[in-house]
Amino acid sequence: ANFALYPEGSASALKNALSNHYNIQKNQFLIGNGSDEIICIISRSLLRPGTNTVMASPTFSQYKHNAIVENAEYREIPLKNGSHDLEAMLEAIDEQTTIVWLCTPNNPSGAYIPENELIAFLDAVPQEVLVVLDEAYREYVTAKDYPNSHELLKKYSNIIILQTFSKIYGLASFRVGYAIAHSEII
C-alpha cells in the first residue's frame, strides 16, 4: 500500500499467499527481485571456473550472462525449428555440468516443451545436475500437453521452477519473481 517503504526482507506474506495458492510448503519458495535475481543466485551458487552450464540458443540472455560473470563454461545448443533440442542438450551434459536451463515457453522463440518430452529429458538428466524450468510466460500457453511443473516436483528433486508476476500480471516494475523447488535446493 505504501511504495515508498522497503519490503519485508523474507517476503513472508507473499510466501504464505503462494503456499496457500499452490498448496506447496512455504520453505519451497525463494522470492527474488524478478527472475533475473533468482537466475543470478542459482548461477552464483553452482557455477565457477571448471564447471559448465547447458542452454538453448537463442534463449533468455541472463543464463549466458551469469555464466560469463562466474567464469563458467556455457554450452549453447541451437534451437531445432524454434524448439529446445533436448537430445543435443543431453549429449552436452558431462561430469562438470551443474545447471541446465530450459525456458518454456522459450524467450524469444515462444516454443514450449511438451510434457512427454520434458519427462523423458528429466528421466535422462543425471540427478546431480540442476534443471531450471523458467516459466516466465507459462500463463500464455493454452496447449493441453504443457507440463504441470508443480506436479513434476513430486518426482524430480533436481528441478527448480522460475515464475514471475512481470509478464501476464503486468507487474514488471515491481520486480517480483519466485522459484519453487524442494526445500533442500532452496
Side-chain angles (χ1 to χ4, degrees):
N2 187 341
F3 304 125
L5 299 177
Y6 286 110
E8 182 262 317
S10 69
S12 59
L14 180 55
K15 285 181 185 175
N16 285 336
L18 290 169
S19 176
N20 290 333
H21 180 73
Y22 291 124
N23 196 29
I24 295 174
Q25 298 296 312
K26 289 185 294 190
N27 64 355
Q28 291 184 256
F29 289 94
L30 173 66
I31 309 300
N33 221 357
S35 295
D36 287 17
E37 182 181 32
I38 297 172
I39 292 166
C40 180
I41 291 168
I42 293 167
S43 298
R44 177 79 24 108
S45 298
L46 297 175
L47 296 176
R48 59 192 51 78
T51 66
N52 70 67
T53 181
V54 176
M55 64 199 70
S57 179
T59 195
F60 187 48
S61 61
Q62 290 302 308
Y63 313 145
K64 178 179 177 179
H65 169 81
N66 280 282
I68 292 169
V69 168
E70 300 305 328
N71 291 308
E73 178 189 355
Y74 54 90
R75 296 178 177 179
E76 296 179 291
I77 308 304
L79 295 176
K80 191 176 188 179
N81 300 318
S83 297
H84 286 75
D85 186 345
L86 296 176
E87 187 175 310
M89 291 179 85
L90 279 172
E91 290 173 11
I93 295 170
D94 65 17
E95 298 79 28
Q96 286 73 45
T97 305
T98 58
I99 306 169
V100 174
W101 304 94
L102 300 177
C103 188
T104 180
N106 188 42
N107 174 7
S109 72
Y112 71 95
I113 302 171
E115 183 174 42
N116 64 327
E117 293 178 26
L118 180 58
I119 288 172
F121 180 81
L122 292 172
D123 284 342
V125 171
Q127 188 64 30
E128 62 275 4
V129 175
L130 182 67
V131 178
V132 180
L133 302 176
D134 188 342
E135 298 183 334
Y137 294 92
R138 71 187 294 258
E139 289 89 357
Y140 295 101
V141 180
T142 58
K144 301 269 189 263
D145 62 346
Y146 187 75
N148 180 339
S149 57
H150 300 167
E151 286 297 312
L152 294 175
L153 276 175
K154 295 176 182 174
K155 182 176 179 185
Y156 302 99
S157 61
N158 64 328
I159 63 173
I160 187 166
I161 304 157
L162 305 185
Q163 297 179 343
T164 182
F165 292 105
S166 297
K167 308 303 185 242
I168 200 162
Y169 299 105
L171 300 174
S173 67
F174 282 107
R175 303 301 305 139
V176 180
Y178 57 99
I180 311 167
H182 286 263
S183 59
E184 295 81 11
I185 291 177
I186 297 298

